[in-house]
Amino acid sequence: MRLLIGSGAAAAIVVGTLTGCADRSGGGSSDEDFPSGNITLLTPTAAGGATDLTARTLGKQMEADLGVSVIVENRPGGAGSIGMQYLADQDPNGYTIGVLPVEVSLLGHQGYSIDPAAYDFLGQVNSQPGTIAVPANSPFQTLDDLLAAAKAEPGGVTVSNAGPGSIWEAGALELGRVAGVEFTGVPFDGGAPAVTAAVGSQVDAVVAGIGETAPAHADGRLRVLAVFTDEPAPALPGVPTATELGQDVVIGSWAVIAAPAGLPDAVATRLEESIDIAAATDEYIDLIESGGNLPLYRSADEATAFVGTESDRFGELAAQE
């Protein structure tokens, strides 16, 4: 694991692998010559969100290393399940890969047919803390104000999220569970439109990643009430953590690069090398940090173990509901 900035950026890695992951096989001359054509870099999210921006910036850096075009393709819907299933169904030849968010380890516990074992994970490239924010003109000045309103009128406070089964829906549900209140969730196809709804005062609040709320907080379109991290976030100076406010909620997103399971060894190795190089470029690190995200890098083996650990964690949380 290479952590490119400060401590406390991500959960500890638990040694282990995903059971059922297909072995990489193959090798022939065509694999050794990879890539000989353009690569599609899929993202199962709408354009403009944190995962989309990650894909576009990484793709640009990978182009310089691989010498071919890396074309970003958005396939949003179903909290990411549509794009993830599409990726799993492609040939494992390295020419279709994807930037997958945390939902790859979550959706299988939400009734979707998404299984981490369907992918070869090539590296983790960031970590994104969760936040809760309100429109700039909201009467709720603090998290306590928002929770008091939700307690006084169960279901009366509307909170937008990135869609059913998404990590941000899970974040709102977890906050409600911990605080003993009931929100009315308003799902959108991705974090970007969920934030747009809050900026436009269509909802009372939004739970989304720091990369999507911090810029709107900085320019006065949103007011972030709390960040769901162990420690205060540098990108949101003066904004308390939910834990500091008495609500023990620590939850966030992350992104991994993945391919359909069964990549030939030579192809997997070349892609892993390119992702490592791209994730260490100043351009990529600047993009991630400018949005308040953490440019955390894990190798293919580390990312595979991490996704397995996260899947186990979300399975335990789902069992508690």
Side-chain angles (χ1 to χ4, degrees), residues 59-253:
K60 179 181 177 182
Q61 302 309 312
M62 290 176 70
E63 283 183 342
D65 174 61
L66 294 171
V68 299
S69 294
V70 177
I71 302 165
V72 175
E73 180 178 320
N74 297 88
R75 286 183 175 263
S81 64
I82 291 174
M84 290 183 199
Q85 188 61 60
Y86 177 84
L87 178 63
D89 291 341
Q90 302 309 298
D91 290 335
N93 56 17
Y95 289 99
T96 302
I97 60 177
V99 179
L100 302 188
V102 60
E103 283 81 8
V104 70
S105 65
L106 177 64
L107 290 176
H109 306 295
Q110 302 281 351
Y112 294 86
S113 58
I114 299 299
D115 187 348
Y119 309 95
D120 281 345
F121 296 103
L122 303 170
Q124 181 183 349
V125 292
N126 70 21
S127 178
Q128 180 177 201
T131 63
I132 185 164
V134 296
N137 62 357
S138 170
F140 306 125
Q141 298 297 314
T142 66
L143 182 61
D144 284 345
D145 292 342
L146 183 74
L147 296 178
K151 188 165 293 188
E153 185 182 355
V157 172
T158 55
V159 181
S160 60
N161 61 64
S166 71
I167 188 64
W168 306 132
E169 181 194 50
L173 290 171
E174 179 68 359
L175 176 61
R177 185 188 68 81
V178 170
V181 302
E182 179 184 343
F183 300 119
T184 293
V186 182
F188 287 84
D189 258 344
V195 169
T196 298
V199 169
S201 298
Q202 299 172 34
V203 291
D204 295 313
V206 58
V207 170
I210 195 171
E212 290 153 336
T213 59
H217 176 88
D219 64 20
R221 291 176 295 140
L222 284 181
R223 182 165 60 254
V224 177
L225 302 181
V227 58
F228 299 142
T229 52
D230 289 316
E231 300 175 355
L236 291 168
V239 175
T241 69
T243 301
E244 289 175 322
L245 298 175
Q247 311 300 333
D248 188 16
V249 179
V250 178
I251 196 165
S253 185

